[in-house]
Amino acid sequence: MKLRLVRRDAASRLAMFGAPVLALILTCLTSLILFALLGIPAGKALHALLLKPFLSWYSFSEVLLKMAPLLLIAQGLAIGFRANVFNIGAEGQFIIGAICASAFPVFYPDGNLPFMLPAMIVAGGLGGMAYAGIAAGLRTRYGASEILVTLMLSLIAVQILNYLLLGPWKDPRGFNFPQTVMFPGNALLPLLFENVRPNISLIFALLASLFAYLMMERHFRGYQLRTAGLAPKAALYAGFSAPRMIWLSLALSGLAAGIAGASEVAGPLGQLQRSVATGYGYAAIIVAYVGGLRPFGIVASSFLISVLYIGGDSATVSAGLPVAAVEVFQGMLLSFYLLTFTLIRFRVHLDREATA
Amino acid sequence: MRKQALLTLSGVSKRYGTVQANQAIDLEVKSGSIHAILGENGAGKSTLMKLIYGVEHPDDGSIAWNGAPVQLSRPSDAQALGIGMVFQHFSLFETLSVVQNVSLMVPGRPAEIATKIGDLGRKFGLVVDPDAMVHTLSVGERQRVEIIRCLLLNPKLLILDEPTSVLPPQSVKLLFETLRKLQAEGTAILFISHKLEEIRALCDEATVLRDGKVTGRVDPRAHSARDLAQMMIGRDMPHLAVSNSAQPGEVRLRLHNLSHPRATQFGTTLTDVNLDLRAGQVIGIAGISGNGQQELAALISGELRARKPEMVQIMGQAVGRRGPMHRRALGFTFVPEERLGRGAVPEMSLADNSLLTAHGQGMLRGGFIKRRVEQSFTRRCMEDFDVRTSGPDAEAGALSGGNLQKFILGREIMLAPDVMLVSQPTWGVDIGAATAIRRRLIEMRDNGAAILVISEELEELFEICDILHVLHEGRLSTGLPAADTTAEEVGAYMIGARL
């Protein structure tokens, strides 16, 4: 007897919804073993990881706060991923977006600028888009892999951030900390609820999800992108321009990452500081894939991953889980998801030898 | 006198999912016999060969060699017994020389192998230069390399899968002579084909397959082609009566001194290709694949841009530098030879595959997809072109090759083209469907469309074309009126004996 994978006639809907659930269950089971080996009570760890985020309004609001940038960036990335354009450097576009947005409050620290906030958001978005555009230009003109280019541009973006914060943009009264001035009130995003931190960038993210749905599932442009991803030769045959697909994918994902970066400095941070680069851009890749690259799936996955982040924070504090264990948990979730994802197009077949 | 059966299959069955590929097959192959396995596409020939060669395992039944039952779990088991196989699609490394390719499977020092290749070549008429790089060889020569590679392992049974489908008529004769010499040496040969005349000329036994079952066991020399066809397809051979009395109209597609350098060393450089295709005309391009067919088709469709605009002219416009969408807007459509991944997206539904090229048929409003129009277009295509599947939501990848070809062809015909390019229209399509497809093309021509057909099947081209050209090493012959030309003449162009 042996196990074989047999291709299904059509993608299984059950598996499509079941795969993420199965991945989550497998991750939990495996981490139980891991936690046990670490000598941490597994029940307590999982309680902190998965339940704590729901047990207080404050924790839950923090989930929503995390969710906004993850959702926004992941929606942009997923568009490209479906067209086989792999923007791995959303982190860099996020940082550039944050820098571009910060220029206004840095140069008008008194808030003496009409339309301060809209200008920041627009500048952030365009900055991220332009930064991703570098990769699109190199790919379409010279065939340079956008995977490497966007990844390396992220490292450059971090250095630009360092330069600005250690030099020209450093707050003169900031005790030499590498950060800008605190932004004036009109440079901050309105909050959604009183006393907790989520702001209207969550609404941007949800609107972006709706936009992504309409474009990818209902519009011809999205159809062209999907065709380019599934069968590049068919896209060529039909005459869908490949360079245009690359530009569009990278522009949209850069735009989304840039707006997310702008929202971060105009939101919870309230200034530009080094900790703006916390890895949202990379985590969003996981979010996009766990969401099956589908707009509504990504809404769910961004929520789930945010829960895991907040849960992970609380687990390090209350259950004494090392940070690395939290990262392993998140990494396992993605790995198991990619494994179970196979079941959408393949089913497991038990082979019995015909003649013994 | 009854010869000893070398290979015996009794009651062999194989199932793939819901498809019964082989059902209770009995087969006896004797030494020194050329045994034909005759059947249409999808009749189960390839599956049967895979079972004999140990690539697949039967669900039921047994295989015996010289009377003793054997288990063939992998091809090396079959090779150890003395079974050699020449595949339809060659398994040679293009960047290696002949000797290097052979020595991958045959033990021995390269110099010894080169000598053996020369000896075998002289003995069986399989002449090939041992030091030549494979990518420089013609298709016929590559096939010889494959056969030599098998023969060096001293097979008692040689299996040839559709060996003539890639050969020009002259090379077919050479191959047959080789096979007869092998037969005289006592080698058994399994010859898989759907070409009736060849089988009658070469084979002394034939087993006919239909829908995975044996429908006849005959001496092909004693039966007419019509009888064999009836066993093979279960009814009379469909016949297509074609005559074109209409005068061709204006030029719809013109290739003007079209030259294009090859993209890689495995491609073909096109040199000074000239062609005029007129309204109400079917022109065929014959020739063996790999002589520039792919490049030519891509240059006409716009997937590949020509170097100068006037090299490709559609409906009087110089479009050599324009993309496929622009050319389609002028009334051009194209059926490529690759169906999955080029003519259709395997993971998408048929309805979404309609959208691929038929989006101009009112399927979009402000760029948004109108599902209802998409669905009704697809349903109409399925009805009109007899596409057999569950419905417009079936994934293209789940359709059989023939059904998918009917869908793609239907989609392109429903766009009511003024000029149409069809590449290998009936590859992998059963006879009934192939006839239907050819009839459609003729109908379109009679309604004034201009059609260019690129095909390897000479019979097909003679059946539907008014004028034939031959593409050989990137050069196109002059036009030959199909009615006054023989297959041998076309064959002479195909191997470059004439220009």
Side-chain angles (χ1 to χ4, degrees), chain B residues 260-269 295 304:
Chain B
H260 201 81
R262 60 187 182 184
T264 69
Q265 58 173 327
F266 307 123
T268 308
T269 300
E295 289 84 354
L304 203 60

mmCIF file with all atom_site columns, all heavy atoms in Angstrom, chain B residues 260-269 295 304:
data_model
loop_
_atom_site.group_PDB
_atom_site.id
_atom_site.type_symbol
_atom_site.label_atom_id
_atom_site.label_alt_id
_atom_site.label_comp_id
_atom_site.label_asym_id
_atom_site.label_entity_id
_atom_site.label_seq_id
_atom_site.pdbx_PDB_ins_code
_atom_site.Cartn_x
_atom_site.Cartn_y
_atom_site.Cartn_z
_atom_site.occupancy
_atom_site.B_iso_or_equiv
_atom_site.pdbx_formal_charge
_atom_site.auth_seq_id
_atom_site.auth_comp_id
_atom_site.auth_asym_id
_atom_site.auth_atom_id
_atom_site.pdbx_PDB_model_num
ATOM 1  N N   . HIS B 1 260 ? 13.225 36.044 -40.001 1.00 0.00 ? 260 HIS B N   1
ATOM 2  C CA  . HIS B 1 260 ? 13.314 36.248 -38.557 1.00 0.00 ? 260 HIS B CA  1
ATOM 3  C C   . HIS B 1 260 ? 14.394 35.355 -37.984 1.00 0.00 ? 260 HIS B C   1
ATOM 4  O O   . HIS B 1 260 ? 14.387 34.150 -38.215 1.00 0.00 ? 260 HIS B O   1
ATOM 5  C CB  . HIS B 1 260 ? 11.963 35.927 -37.893 1.00 0.00 ? 260 HIS B CB  1
ATOM 6  C CG  . HIS B 1 260 ? 11.812 36.562 -36.556 1.00 0.00 ? 260 HIS B CG  1
ATOM 7  N ND1 . HIS B 1 260 ? 11.446 37.882 -36.413 1.00 0.00 ? 260 HIS B ND1 1
ATOM 8  C CD2 . HIS B 1 260 ? 12.004 36.100 -35.321 1.00 0.00 ? 260 HIS B CD2 1
ATOM 9  C CE1 . HIS B 1 260 ? 11.411 38.186 -35.136 1.00 0.00 ? 260 HIS B CE1 1
ATOM 10 N NE2 . HIS B 1 260 ? 11.746 37.119 -34.452 1.00 0.00 ? 260 HIS B NE2 1
ATOM 11 N N   . PRO B 1 261 ? 15.370 35.941 -37.264 1.00 0.00 ? 261 PRO B N   1
ATOM 12 C CA  . PRO B 1 261 ? 16.425 35.105 -36.697 1.00 0.00 ? 261 PRO B CA  1
ATOM 13 C C   . PRO B 1 261 ? 15.882 34.228 -35.577 1.00 0.00 ? 261 PRO B C   1
ATOM 14 O O   . PRO B 1 261 ? 14.964 34.623 -34.861 1.00 0.00 ? 261 PRO B O   1
ATOM 15 C CB  . PRO B 1 261 ? 17.430 36.123 -36.156 1.00 0.00 ? 261 PRO B CB  1
ATOM 16 C CG  . PRO B 1 261 ? 16.616 37.342 -35.886 1.00 0.00 ? 261 PRO B CG  1
ATOM 17 C CD  . PRO B 1 261 ? 15.505 37.343 -36.890 1.00 0.00 ? 261 PRO B CD  1
ATOM 18 N N   . ARG B 1 262 ? 16.467 33.044 -35.423 1.00 0.00 ? 262 ARG B N   1
ATOM 19 C CA  . ARG B 1 262 ? 15.965 32.153 -34.377 1.00 0.00 ? 262 ARG B CA  1
ATOM 20 C C   . ARG B 1 262 ? 16.317 32.721 -33.007 1.00 0.00 ? 262 ARG B C   1
ATOM 21 O O   . ARG B 1 262 ? 17.339 33.390 -32.827 1.00 0.00 ? 262 ARG B O   1
ATOM 22 C CB  . ARG B 1 262 ? 16.536 30.753 -34.551 1.00 0.00 ? 262 ARG B CB  1
ATOM 23 C CG  . ARG B 1 262 ? 18.053 30.686 -34.482 1.00 0.00 ? 262 ARG B CG  1
ATOM 24 C CD  . ARG B 1 262 ? 18.494 29.286 -34.845 1.00 0.00 ? 262 ARG B CD  1
ATOM 25 N NE  . ARG B 1 262 ? 19.951 29.182 -34.750 1.00 0.00 ? 262 ARG B NE  1
ATOM 26 C CZ  . ARG B 1 262 ? 20.615 28.091 -35.091 1.00 0.00 ? 262 ARG B CZ  1
ATOM 27 N NH1 . ARG B 1 262 ? 19.961 27.045 -35.545 1.00 0.00 ? 262 ARG B NH1 1
ATOM 28 N NH2 . ARG B 1 262 ? 21.925 28.040 -34.994 1.00 0.00 ? 262 ARG B NH2 1
ATOM 29 N N   . ALA B 1 263 ? 15.451 32.405 -32.028 1.00 0.00 ? 263 ALA B N   1
ATOM 30 C CA  . ALA B 1 263 ? 15.619 32.961 -30.690 1.00 0.00 ? 263 ALA B CA  1
ATOM 31 C C   . ALA B 1 263 ? 16.672 32.181 -29.910 1.00 0.00 ? 263 ALA B C   1
ATOM 32 O O   . ALA B 1 263 ? 17.437 32.752 -29.148 1.00 0.00 ? 263 ALA B O   1
ATOM 33 C CB  . ALA B 1 263 ? 14.287 32.952 -29.956 1.00 0.00 ? 263 ALA B CB  1
ATOM 34 N N   . THR B 1 264 ? 16.708 30.879 -30.080 1.00 0.00 ? 264 THR B N   1
ATOM 35 C CA  . THR B 1 264 ? 17.702 30.054 -29.394 1.00 0.00 ? 264 THR B CA  1
ATOM 36 C C   . THR B 1 264 ? 18.309 29.127 -30.429 1.00 0.00 ? 264 THR B C   1
ATOM 37 O O   . THR B 1 264 ? 17.839 29.056 -31.562 1.00 0.00 ? 264 THR B O   1
ATOM 38 C CB  . THR B 1 264 ? 17.058 29.167 -28.314 1.00 0.00 ? 264 THR B CB  1
ATOM 39 O OG1 . THR B 1 264 ? 16.261 28.179 -28.970 1.00 0.00 ? 264 THR B OG1 1
ATOM 40 C CG2 . THR B 1 264 ? 16.183 29.976 -27.381 1.00 0.00 ? 264 THR B CG2 1
ATOM 41 N N   . GLN B 1 265 ? 19.346 28.385 -30.032 1.00 0.00 ? 265 GLN B N   1
ATOM 42 C CA  . GLN B 1 265 ? 19.969 27.503 -31.019 1.00 0.00 ? 265 GLN B CA  1
ATOM 43 C C   . GLN B 1 265 ? 19.068 26.318 -31.363 1.00 0.00 ? 265 GLN B C   1
ATOM 44 O O   . GLN B 1 265 ? 19.356 25.595 -32.306 1.00 0.00 ? 265 GLN B O   1
ATOM 45 C CB  . GLN B 1 265 ? 21.325 27.026 -30.524 1.00 0.00 ? 265 GLN B CB  1
ATOM 46 C CG  . GLN B 1 265 ? 21.276 26.292 -29.211 1.00 0.00 ? 265 GLN B CG  1
ATOM 47 C CD  . GLN B 1 265 ? 22.636 25.699 -28.868 1.00 0.00 ? 265 GLN B CD  1
ATOM 48 O OE1 . GLN B 1 265 ? 23.375 25.303 -29.747 1.00 0.00 ? 265 GLN B OE1 1
ATOM 49 N NE2 . GLN B 1 265 ? 22.956 25.642 -27.581 1.00 0.00 ? 265 GLN B NE2 1
ATOM 50 N N   . PHE B 1 266 ? 17.988 26.135 -30.618 1.00 0.00 ? 266 PHE B N   1
ATOM 51 C CA  . PHE B 1 266 ? 17.056 25.051 -30.954 1.00 0.00 ? 266 PHE B CA  1
ATOM 52 C C   . PHE B 1 266 ? 15.898 25.556 -31.803 1.00 0.00 ? 266 PHE B C   1
ATOM 53 O O   . PHE B 1 266 ? 15.034 24.792 -32.203 1.00 0.00 ? 266 PHE B O   1
ATOM 54 C CB  . PHE B 1 266 ? 16.524 24.390 -29.686 1.00 0.00 ? 266 PHE B CB  1
ATOM 55 C CG  . PHE B 1 266 ? 17.629 23.956 -28.780 1.00 0.00 ? 266 PHE B CG  1
ATOM 56 C CD1 . PHE B 1 266 ? 17.698 24.418 -27.476 1.00 0.00 ? 266 PHE B CD1 1
ATOM 57 C CD2 . PHE B 1 266 ? 18.619 23.116 -29.240 1.00 0.00 ? 266 PHE B CD2 1
ATOM 58 C CE1 . PHE B 1 266 ? 18.729 24.034 -26.655 1.00 0.00 ? 266 PHE B CE1 1
ATOM 59 C CE2 . PHE B 1 266 ? 19.656 22.723 -28.419 1.00 0.00 ? 266 PHE B CE2 1
ATOM 60 C CZ  . PHE B 1 266 ? 19.722 23.182 -27.121 1.00 0.00 ? 266 PHE B CZ  1
ATOM 61 N N   . GLY B 1 267 ? 15.852 26.853 -32.052 1.00 0.00 ? 267 GLY B N   1
ATOM 62 C CA  . GLY B 1 267 ? 14.793 27.408 -32.885 1.00 0.00 ? 267 GLY B CA  1
ATOM 63 C C   . GLY B 1 267 ? 15.179 27.333 -34.351 1.00 0.00 ? 267 GLY B C   1
ATOM 64 O O   . GLY B 1 267 ? 16.216 26.774 -34.719 1.00 0.00 ? 267 GLY B O   1
ATOM 65 N N   . THR B 1 268 ? 14.323 27.879 -35.198 1.00 0.00 ? 268 THR B N   1
ATOM 66 C CA  . THR B 1 268 ? 14.574 27.873 -36.629 1.00 0.00 ? 268 THR B CA  1
ATOM 67 C C   . THR B 1 268 ? 14.562 29.310 -37.136 1.00 0.00 ? 268 THR B C   1
ATOM 68 O O   . THR B 1 268 ? 13.694 30.085 -36.751 1.00 0.00 ? 268 THR B O   1
ATOM 69 C CB  . THR B 1 268 ? 13.490 27.066 -37.364 1.00 0.00 ? 268 THR B CB  1
ATOM 70 O OG1 . THR B 1 268 ? 13.389 25.785 -36.743 1.00 0.00 ? 268 THR B OG1 1
ATOM 71 C CG2 . THR B 1 268 ? 13.834 26.893 -38.821 1.00 0.00 ? 268 THR B CG2 1
ATOM 72 N N   . THR B 1 269 ? 15.507 29.643 -37.969 1.00 0.00 ? 269 THR B N   1
ATOM 73 C CA  . THR B 1 269 ? 15.533 30.955 -38.596 1.00 0.00 ? 269 THR B CA  1
ATOM 74 C C   . THR B 1 269 ? 14.631 30.922 -39.819 1.00 0.00 ? 269 THR B C   1
ATOM 75 O O   . THR B 1 269 ? 14.730 30.014 -40.649 1.00 0.00 ? 269 THR B O   1
ATOM 76 C CB  . THR B 1 269 ? 16.971 31.294 -39.032 1.00 0.00 ? 269 THR B CB  1
ATOM 77 O OG1 . THR B 1 269 ? 17.789 31.295 -37.875 1.00 0.00 ? 269 THR B OG1 1
ATOM 78 C CG2 . THR B 1 269 ? 17.029 32.649 -39.703 1.00 0.00 ? 269 THR B CG2 1
ATOM 79 N N   . GLU B 1 295 ? 7.582  29.291 -35.090 1.00 0.00 ? 295 GLU B N   1
ATOM 80 C CA  . GLU B 1 295 ? 7.994  30.667 -35.277 1.00 0.00 ? 295 GLU B CA  1
ATOM 81 C C   . GLU B 1 295 ? 7.045  31.376 -36.234 1.00 0.00 ? 295 GLU B C   1
ATOM 82 O O   . GLU B 1 295 ? 6.615  32.511 -35.982 1.00 0.00 ? 295 GLU B O   1
ATOM 83 C CB  . GLU B 1 295 ? 9.425  30.726 -35.821 1.00 0.00 ? 295 GLU B CB  1
ATOM 84 C CG  . GLU B 1 295 ? 10.501 30.316 -34.818 1.00 0.00 ? 295 GLU B CG  1
ATOM 85 C CD  . GLU B 1 295 ? 10.723 28.804 -34.739 1.00 0.00 ? 295 GLU B CD  1
ATOM 86 O OE1 . GLU B 1 295 ? 9.955  28.046 -35.390 1.00 0.00 ? 295 GLU B OE1 1
ATOM 87 O OE2 . GLU B 1 295 ? 11.642 28.369 -34.031 1.00 0.00 ? 295 GLU B OE2 1
ATOM 88 N N   . LEU B 1 304 ? 4.886  36.913 -31.479 1.00 0.00 ? 304 LEU B N   1
ATOM 89 C CA  . LEU B 1 304 ? 6.267  37.287 -31.773 1.00 0.00 ? 304 LEU B CA  1
ATOM 90 C C   . LEU B 1 304 ? 6.177  38.458 -32.745 1.00 0.00 ? 304 LEU B C   1
ATOM 91 O O   . LEU B 1 304 ? 5.408  38.400 -33.712 1.00 0.00 ? 304 LEU B O   1
ATOM 92 C CB  . LEU B 1 304 ? 6.954  36.083 -32.433 1.00 0.00 ? 304 LEU B CB  1
ATOM 93 C CG  . LEU B 1 304 ? 8.460  35.947 -32.394 1.00 0.00 ? 304 LEU B CG  1
ATOM 94 C CD1 . LEU B 1 304 ? 8.943  35.872 -30.958 1.00 0.00 ? 304 LEU B CD1 1
ATOM 95 C CD2 . LEU B 1 304 ? 8.865  34.680 -33.147 1.00 0.00 ? 304 LEU B CD2 1
#
